[in-house]
Amino acid sequence: MHTLWFLRNRFRCAVLRDNKADFAEVAEQVVKLLIYDHDEKSPRVPVLLMIDDFDDKEKVFDVEQLIEKEIVKKDIQSKSPQVILLNCMISETLEETESEDVVFIGNNLSEKEQKLFDEKLAEIEKTYKNAQETFYGFMFMKQNFSTNYAQGVACKTLKSFSINQKEGQLLAVLALLHVYCKGASLSVSLCEEFLDLQPKPVCGTKKVEEGFGKFSTLITTCLVEGKVIFKAVKMIHSSIARHCLEELKTTHNVSKADIVDRLLTTNKLYESTQGKDKLLQDVRHILVKRFHSVEDESQFSPLIQDIAKETPGMEEMVLQNGSKRFEKDAVVSQLLARYYYLKKKDFSEAKLWANKAKDLSKDNSYIADTSAQVIKHELKDAIAKIKEAHIGPETVRMCLKMAQLAIEGFKETQTLAKKESVQRFQTKMDNSPFNTSGCLGEIQVRVLVIEILAKTPIFSSDSVRHDIMSQVLSGQIRLEDVEKCDHWKNKHKSYYNIFREFQDVLYELKYNMKINIDFLDNFYVNLGSRFGMKDNREQVAQSELFRCFEKYAKLFCKIDSAALWKNKNMPPMLKLLEARQYLEKQKADTYFGILSCLSNGTPPEIMDKIARVSRFICSNDPNSSVKDSINFVYVSVVLSCIKLQSQSIVPYRDLMNFLYQVLKAPVPLGDTLSLHFIAVALLWPKPNQVYQQCRSVGTYISQMKTSYHTVMKEVCNGKRPMVHFFLGKKQGYEQLVPFVDIKSCVKAEQEFSSMLENGKIWKEKKVVELLCRVSGNVRHKSIMADTCVPDFKVEVTPVFRSQLSGHAHDSKVSFFVGFTLKGPVALDIR
């Protein structure tokens, strides 16, 4: 706030505190502030918007994106920054790393500040004799936020604490809320009613601080802004609140479970109209809000996890009471379902809560996913309990029935997720990304089906039976044929009867697994998080997808790669089959799988072999498809990025001739997006190029945008198309600079993300040396890029449309070119 006050003459300053506000309206108000009373002859005064301690950085990005859209909508012209976001967040731990746009302010006083505190204390003590014993907030800061001091204050102040006293109960609730929910408070009117504070006959209303008695030094009053503004009470500092909770447990035997139980079951806390909605929001927050990390995906909120550690078992009763307080809340019911299937392994109870959640929110994909997750975990638990070498027939039937129900549940999740995503895309107000849990869940269940079948005598683990199972699950042979050739078919008859009940699940298992694996790979490779920010949940999901793919490849891509090249007598069709299996195992049978080789650390020798196998298929398979030819082009480009000196690389001129031939032939609609992407990147006009060879680039870009919208519209919400390549200064294969080469110009990954977000990466000397700077003219919401071919321009789109604000129509700009599936984009526009 001091910063805003200091800069008030240079900026129009505003503060956003409510993270539940309508961000579209916030964006509209910010732009109104920007254009208010503006004289076109004078420079526009930028807006400095302080975002006050949002607990979710994604919400900050939502605000930023909506402000950008509003600026574009109003067509505001200015070459200087329009809106500056000052994102202020409280962190419990001081970060070591700083960058130019991130500053960490520690809670250590400088010598000058220490001296000022000493002087102020001396001044206070002249008026208040017991200042050190009552001005805890001031003294806590004066003590450099000392943990020992906060602990001492908690111990001393709570010496006569009793949970049976109303002021004690209220203080405990305040401390708990403050620790587990930023900005939590209780309205003054609520506190007055709870503490039975009666107005004084002479002086009027009795102060709420008096009602807290000896604990009044631990609290302070504040104003809470929401739909209405009201006065509230909160703890003086989070560290004080935290130590109070510890003191209540160690000295007074009052656990977190005891406090939250009172919070949930004491109706009087919810009788006051003022602040009731805010209290309900905060209570719900501490029950359901999870925090995710790559190392440990949180299954429950920090409060529930802490209760489980402090008083094991009590978390169940807390959650039960939470469901009664929020009986119409689907997420709370979902939380109980998750608790019962993850912690208690009580799947019957979990199903009841999952069904209740679905009844409360029928069209929510995340709620639907929970029902399927319950069955999936029940199936995993059933398999884990099997100790025998072979599973009995009835157990197989039970497991396959559960698998079938789980698959149906995950398919429902996928359907709802696609509906949600299309609705978000159409309204353009919600930036939540596509829910991929249904696709991953279905893959996981099919992996479990493979595990079940491998434990039956028909498909047990020897290599012959392994191959039979692979062919059955690929739909290549029928169960009847397997039964005819089975020497123990009478003994195994009950198994065959059961398998026939679920033959649709079995025959299409490989096909459906492959569809979902490719779907997710396409999603993760071609769509990136906004502003380069990592999504920890996505990283966890990608790790699980990789584990499942390994199971898939072990069953369906089992090959002898040595025999592939050494056995000259191998039948041609078998050699082609194994070649395709090899590519599938390396995820090199799709263009996005080949692109992922750039970022997943594929060794040069593996990439080299992929190139040889891909070339072998294109040259020897009479049934090779357009997709095979397109993949060969991708493999050649990716190999050149990984190992330019490889002997397996096709000469660049030969590759271009091959590409021209592919472009001349009919192309299936499903392959046009991948073909046009690589064609635009390779055919970008360059010196000494024949005009006829690049004249179709504009058409390919137009068709690529149409294909992108068709293919990605269900999943692209809240995402940005990944830039896979940049236009470089060199010729041939080296004209394309992969994204990983830009990333390698910065040592620290965290620093790279920050530099990518603020655009400073484009000022790095190494990056500038790699990339070709292109000029062009502004045309409405895009740029017509100049090329080395006279009178031939190519349309590129700015990554952020607001970057064109201030550039008049037909004005000259320069920029770097990046290639995405949505078309070429302009970066670092000047």
Side-chain angles (χ1 to χ4, degrees):
M1 291 301 292
H2 290 291
T3 302
L4 264 61
W5 181 253
F6 181 76
L7 296 172
R8 69 190 186 282
N9 293 325
R10 290 176 54 196
F11 303 104
R12 290 177 172 174
C13 300
V15 179
L16 175 60
R17 290 195 175 92
D18 185 7
N19 62 12
K20 297 179 180 67
D22 181 349
F23 294 153
E25 185 180 345
V26 169
E28 190 179 333
Q29 294 297 328
V30 167
V31 174
K32 279 184 180 178
L33 184 60
L34 178 68
I35 63 178
Y36 175 75
D37 196 27
H38 172 62
D39 180 3
E40 292 298 333
K41 295 179 182 178
S42 60
R44 196 183 303 278
V45 180
V47 172
L48 177 60
L49 178 65
M50 186 183 96
I51 298 179
D52 189 11
D53 201 22
F54 278 20
D55 58 1
D56 188 350
K57 199 174 180 182
E58 276 289 334
K59 291 182 178 179
V60 179
F61 293 148
D62 288 344
V63 174
E64 184 173 350
Q65 194 170 61
L66 287 166
I67 291 173
E68 182 199 347
K69 287 179 181 177
E70 190 67 20
I71 287 173
V72 172
K73 180 181 172 184
K74 300 291 186 186
D75 195 25
I76 296 169
Q77 302 293 317
S78 175
K79 291 186 179 180
S80 60
Q82 301 301 297
V83 180
I84 299 169
L85 300 187
L86 181 61
N87 183 25
C88 301
M89 300 179 71
I90 296 174
S91 176
E92 294 298 328
T93 56
L94 180 64
E95 300 284 347
E96 297 285 333
T97 313
E98 290 196 9
S99 62
E100 291 183 26
D101 62 334
V102 179
V103 177
F104 294 95
I105 302 172
N107 56 358
N108 293 317
L109 301 181
S110 65
E111 290 184 12
K112 182 181 178 182
E113 289 169 330
Q114 191 74 56
K115 185 179 178 182
L116 289 172
F117 265 94
D118 290 338
E119 290 173 0
K120 190 65 178 177
L121 178 60
E123 181 185 327
I124 291 172
E125 285 181 329
K126 290 178 182 179
T127 307
Y128 304 96
K129 293 181 180 180
N130 61 341
Q132 292 194 38
E133 297 179 4
T134 55
F135 286 67
Y136 289 137
F138 175 87
M139 292 303 298
F140 183 50
M141 288 188 286
K142 183 184 178 301
Q143 297 291 332
N144 256 336
F145 304 92
S146 165
T147 300
N148 291 335
Y149 180 81
Q151 190 174 11
V153 167
C155 181
K156 181 179 179 182
T157 311
L158 298 177
K159 199 169 185 179
S160 58
F161 176 88
S162 172
I163 195 64
N164 296 320
Q165 296 175 340
K166 288 187 176 182
E167 61 269 27
Q169 295 169 12
L170 215 50
L171 183 81
V173 165
L174 275 170
L176 183 100
L177 286 173
H178 198 112
V179 168
Y180 291 101
C181 182
K182 288 180 180 178
S185 59
L186 297 175
S187 71
V188 166
S189 61
L190 183 156
C191 295
E192 288 174 342
E193 290 176 25
F194 188 83
L195 295 171
D196 297 323
L197 297 181
Q198 300 299 322
K200 290 183 178 180
V202 178
C203 303
T205 305
K206 190 175 182 180
K207 285 187 176 181
V208 71
E209 287 88 346
E210 294 178 30
F212 277 91
K214 50 190 172 290
F215 307 132
S216 62
T217 53
L218 299 178
I219 63 164
T220 185
T221 55
C222 61
L223 285 178
V224 175
E225 297 180 27
K227 292 180 180 177
V228 295
I229 299 175
F230 60 90
K231 195 174 181 182
V233 175
K234 66 175 185 177
M235 296 291 290
I236 56 175
H237 195 274
S238 58
S239 184
I240 296 284
R242 198 160 47 250
H243 284 290
C244 282
L245 277 187
E246 291 173 7
E247 182 65 19
L248 291 178
K249 174 60 181 172
T250 55
T251 304
H252 303 283
N253 200 30
V254 178
S255 67
K256 296 177 182 68
D258 294 330
I259 299 168
V260 76
D261 182 63
R262 286 182 180 274
L263 180 58
L264 289 168
T265 59
T266 305
N267 291 326
K268 195 168 184 179
L269 289 172
Y270 305 91
E271 289 174 359
S272 174
T273 304
Q274 195 175 72
K276 179 181 177 180
D277 289 344
K278 175 72 165 59
L279 176 60
L280 285 168
Q281 285 176 11
D282 292 344
V283 174
R284 183 184 184 276
H285 176 96
I286 64 176
L287 291 176
V288 307
K289 181 64 177 179
R290 293 186 285 165
F291 295 93
H292 304 270
S293 68
V294 179
E295 295 78 21
D296 177 31
E297 185 182 10
S298 296
Q299 296 171 332
F300 301 96
S301 71
L303 173 64
I304 298 302
Q305 291 184 110
D306 287 349
I307 290 174
K309 291 176 187 174
E310 186 179 90
T311 50
M314 293 298 289
E315 71 276 11
E316 180 180 356
M317 285 174 272
V318 166
L319 290 173
Q320 285 281 359
N321 280 330
S323 70
K324 294 169 186 174
R325 177 60 62 186
F326 299 94
E327 61 179 347
K328 299 296 183 184
D329 194 311
V331 176
V332 176
S333 295
Q334 178 195 38
L335 174 60
L336 263 161
R338 192 187 314 123
Y339 176 77
Y340 279 113
Y341 79 71
L342 285 175
K343 296 297 183 183
K344 300 281 285 187
K345 305 296 181 186
D346 186 342
F347 300 106
S348 298
E349 190 71 13
K351 286 174 187 174
L352 291 174
W353 286 106
N355 289 333
K356 182 180 179 182
K358 280 184 75 173
D359 290 340
L360 292 168
S361 185
K362 295 183 185 298
D363 298 324
N364 187 301
S365 66
Y366 291 96
I367 299 297
D369 178 67
T370 301
S371 293
Q373 293 288 350
V374 172
I375 304 170
K376 184 192 82 176
H377 280 80
E378 185 179 14
L379 176 58
K380 284 178 68 175
D381 189 65
I383 295 172
K385 288 177 179 176
I386 297 169
K387 304 302 179 185
E388 301 83 6
H390 289 154
I391 309 180
E394 287 309 311
T395 305
V396 171
R397 176 184 275 115
M398 177 193 70
C399 288
L400 289 178
K401 182 62 178 175
M402 281 192 281
Q404 187 178 50
L405 290 172
I407 288 168
E408 290 169 1
F410 284 124
K411 284 189 178 295
E412 181 188 1
T413 300
Q414 294 167 44
T415 301
L416 290 173
K418 288 175 182 177
K419 284 182 181 177
E420 290 169 345
S421 192
V422 170
Q423 287 170 357
R424 294 184 194 119
F425 184 78
Q426 290 171 344
T427 60
K428 300 185 184 299
M429 303 302 281
D430 185 345
N431 291 305
S432 301
F434 178 78
N435 177 12
T436 59
S437 60
C439 298
L440 182 60
E442 185 182 339
I443 293 168
Q444 291 171 317
V445 173
R446 294 190 189 278
V447 168
L448 293 174
V449 170
I450 293 170
E451 290 181 19
I452 295 163
L453 298 180
K455 288 178 178 288
T456 64
I458 296 174
F459 300 121
S460 53
S461 58
D462 67 78
S463 58
V464 174
R465 295 184 182 279
H466 177 283
D467 290 340
I468 292 171
M469 179 164 71
S470 173
Q471 291 178 70
V472 169
L473 299 183
S474 301
Q476 294 173 356
I477 60 173
R478 314 297 286 181
L479 287 165
E480 292 82 359
D481 299 326
V482 177
E483 188 174 9
K484 285 176 186 175
C485 301
D486 189 347
H487 296 300
W488 296 279
K489 59 184 175 186
N490 292 329
K491 184 179 178 182
H492 296 159
K493 191 167 187 62
S494 55
Y495 286 100
Y496 286 112
N497 291 337
I498 291 166
F499 289 157
R500 273 190 282 271
E501 291 178 34
F502 302 96
Q503 61 183 15
D504 289 344
V505 173
L506 301 184
Y507 291 154
E508 296 182 358
L509 187 138
K510 180 191 175 183
Y511 173 79
N512 283 301
M513 277 193 80
K514 180 63 172 167
I515 288 288
N516 280 290
I517 288 169
D518 284 352
F519 179 88
L520 291 179
D521 280 339
N522 187 15
F523 179 83
Y524 292 132
V525 171
N526 287 319
L527 297 173
S529 298
R530 290 171 295 159
F531 308 95
M533 181 183 174
K534 280 192 171 182
D535 188 323
N536 293 332
R537 282 166 289 184
E538 276 194 8
Q539 289 182 275
V540 172
Q542 286 183 64
S543 297
E544 178 60 14
L545 178 63
F546 179 74
R547 182 193 72 83
C548 291
F549 179 76
E550 285 187 316
K551 299 281 188 182
Y552 170 91
K554 187 177 180 181
L555 179 60
F556 299 113
C557 308
K558 189 177 182 182
I559 58 171
D560 184 352
S561 59
L564 181 60
W565 303 107
K566 292 179 181 178
N567 187 356
K568 295 181 180 180
N569 297 319
M570 183 183 292
M573 292 308 295
L574 181 57
K575 196 167 185 179
L576 283 167
L577 174 64
E578 293 203 334
R580 289 190 179 280
Q581 284 186 332
Y582 179 77
L583 291 182
E584 187 175 9
K585 183 180 181 182
Q586 300 300 332
K587 287 197 173 183
D589 59 330
T590 61
Y591 80 95
F592 42 83
I594 297 164
L595 285 173
S596 71
C597 293
L598 287 168
S599 56
N600 65 13
T602 300
E605 58 273 16
I606 296 294
M607 199 67 224
D608 208 72
K609 187 179 288 187
I610 289 171
R612 297 201 307 273
V613 174
S614 181
R615 189 173 188 175
F616 168 77
I617 289 172
C618 289
S619 302
N620 295 277
D621 190 349
N623 298 316
S624 65
S625 63
V626 173
K627 180 181 176 181
D628 294 324
S629 300
I630 295 170
N631 287 350
F632 175 66
V633 177
Y634 275 87
V635 168
S636 302
V637 171
V638 170
L639 177 57
S640 74
C641 296
I642 294 174
K643 187 182 178 183
L644 186 60
Q645 301 78 19
S646 171
Q647 297 299 311
S648 301
I649 293 182
V650 181
Y652 184 74
R653 186 181 296 273
D654 292 347
L655 179 74
M656 295 304 292
N657 289 331
F658 183 80
L659 176 61
Y660 298 143
Q661 295 305 314
V662 176
L663 288 166
K664 286 178 182 177
V667 180
L669 289 176
D671 296 321
T672 55
L673 182 58
S674 58
L675 175 58
H676 289 153
F677 167 73
I678 201 67
V680 169
L682 289 172
L683 293 176
W684 187 271
K686 56 187 81 69
N688 304 318
Q689 187 177 16
V690 179
Y691 172 69
Q692 284 77 9
Q693 294 175 344
C694 62
R695 64 182 177 179
S696 298
V697 166
T699 303
Y700 296 151
I701 291 172
S702 176
Q703 292 175 353
M704 184 163 43
K705 289 180 178 179
T706 301
S707 299
Y708 178 87
H709 179 74
T710 303
V711 174
M712 296 292 196
K713 69 178 180 181
E714 292 181 334
V715 297
C716 66
N717 194 69
K719 295 282 185 178
R720 292 196 183 279
M722 281 291 294
V723 177
H724 293 296
F725 300 103
F726 298 88
L727 185 65
K729 292 179 177 177
K730 298 181 180 180
Q731 298 295 309
Y733 280 115
E734 294 180 278
Q735 175 179 296
L736 297 183
V737 178
F739 184 84
V740 286
D741 283 9
I742 303 298
K743 197 171 183 180
S744 66
C745 293
V746 180
K747 291 182 179 178
E749 187 172 336
Q750 189 175 1
E751 186 181 349
F752 173 77
S753 297
S754 176
M755 292 176 72
L756 189 65
E757 183 181 328
N758 60 32
K760 290 178 181 175
I761 188 67
W762 314 119
K763 310 297 187 290
E764 280 288 303
K765 184 180 177 182
K766 290 181 180 178
V767 173
V768 173
E769 288 173 353
L770 279 174
L771 303 184
C772 175
R773 195 155 194 91
V774 175
S775 61
N777 296 81
V778 175
R779 292 284 193 277
H780 303 294
K781 295 180 180 180
S782 62
I783 302 169
M784 297 306 295
D786 299 329
T787 69
C788 54
V789 178
D791 301 320
F792 181 68
K793 294 178 178 286
V794 178
E795 183 182 7
V796 298
T797 307
V799 174
F800 303 103
R801 292 192 182 276
S802 59
Q803 290 174 322
L804 293 184
S805 296
H807 296 286
H809 179 75
D810 209 35
S811 61
K812 204 75 174 176
V813 292
S814 70
F815 48 91
F816 295 127
V817 176
F819 297 102
T820 77
L821 256 69
K822 199 177 181 181
V825 294
L827 303 108
D828 192 40
I829 301 170
R830 298 181 191 173

